[in-house]
Amino acid sequence: MSATRAVKKQSLPELITNDLRERILSGDLKEGEAIRQELLAEEYEVSRMPVREALKRLSAEGLVQWENNRGGYVMKHSLREIGEIFDLRVLLEVDLFRRAIPEMGALEFEKCEEILTDMETSYRQDDVSRWGKLNYDYHCALYSAAGRRLSDEMLARLNVHSDRYVRIHLSVMRQREPAQQEHRRLLELARAGNVDGACELLSQHITRTKAELLEMIAAQRKDEVS
């Protein structure tokens, strides 16, 4: 008889947290938008208590600014802060990639190929939400052989902040092929053991995304004010 497979049961606050997080990352709840606990409770058809707990969790993640007695809003990062998020990604991810490449083997390369295939499918289907998650999964797969648990945890926290901006970038990109080609080239360089070449391309890849994103968001915010 096969072993029992335990399924993790989510509490009500966890379910609401996950749904609100996705709504923020997808742009359904926009940056700077006011959050009203009582309205969310009505929307989810629950009491205020699980909503309050969900908002506390999202506040700890840095996605919302929340105070129990004063309400809150979806976090809106300044352009400087958005740039800092991507600068931190460069520092952390290049270090992880440099450490991972000498340790990568057949299993790591196979996992990366599998994710790349799914990413290419999401490109064709114009599934920005799925592509955003696969983008993070792919980068993590490239670095997994480094075995740096604390760095991985820091990267996961950074991803919470950068994911919504990556999705914004993807949703308006007219040419996604360069990013797609860069992802495949990163794997090719890793297979070849070209540490310096791979790390240089990774740095350029993240920095280019940062530059295009900041230009786009600056223009959007200027239009909102005018």
Side-chain angles (χ1 to χ4, degrees), residues 12-13 15 22 48 51 68 76 86 92 96 100 105-106 109-110 123 128 147 153 176 178 181 218 223:
L12 196 52
L15 289 169
E22 178 59 29
R48 295 186 185 185
V51 171
N68 281 341
K76 181 176 182 178
F86 284 85
L92 187 56
L96 282 169
F109 293 133
E110 182 179 346
Y123 268 126
V128 173
E153 290 176 0
R176 299 178 185 175
Q181 292 168 4
D223 290 341

Side-chain angles (χ1 to χ4, degrees), residues 120-219:
E120 288 163 358
T121 299
S122 71
Y123 268 126
R124 292 191 297 271
Q125 296 175 343
D126 199 33
D127 188 344
V128 173
S129 175
R130 186 161 178 265
W131 196 94
K133 181 181 184 305
L134 289 170
N135 179 72
Y136 174 67
D137 290 345
Y138 178 67
H139 279 256
C140 287
L142 287 174
Y143 319 141
S144 63
R148 306 277 285 186
R149 181 178 61 82
L150 295 178
S151 293
D152 290 342
E153 290 176 0
M154 292 178 66
L155 183 57
R157 287 188 61 82
L158 270 179
N159 180 67
V160 170
H161 294 285
S162 70
D163 188 34
R164 60 173 158 167
Y165 299 113
V166 170
R167 293 194 195 191
I168 292 171
H169 184 236
L170 289 170
S171 66
V172 299
M173 280 175 64
R174 294 180 179 177
Q175 292 184 330
R176 299 178 185 175
E177 290 76 13
Q180 188 174 354
Q181 292 168 4
E182 286 175 359
H183 278 138
R184 186 156 290 284
R185 182 61 178 156
L186 286 170
L187 184 56
E188 292 172 355
L189 290 168
R191 282 185 185 277
N194 187 343
V195 176
D196 289 340
C199 290
E200 182 179 357
L201 178 59
L202 178 61
S203 179
Q204 293 172 356
H205 175 73
I206 299 173
T207 302
R208 178 179 56 79
T209 299
K210 167 193 165 184
E212 293 176 356
L213 187 58
L214 287 176
E215 181 180 2
M216 181 190 67
I217 292 178

Side-chain angles (χ1 to χ4, degrees), residues 27 59 98 148:
S59 179
R98 185 175 297 279
R148 306 277 285 186

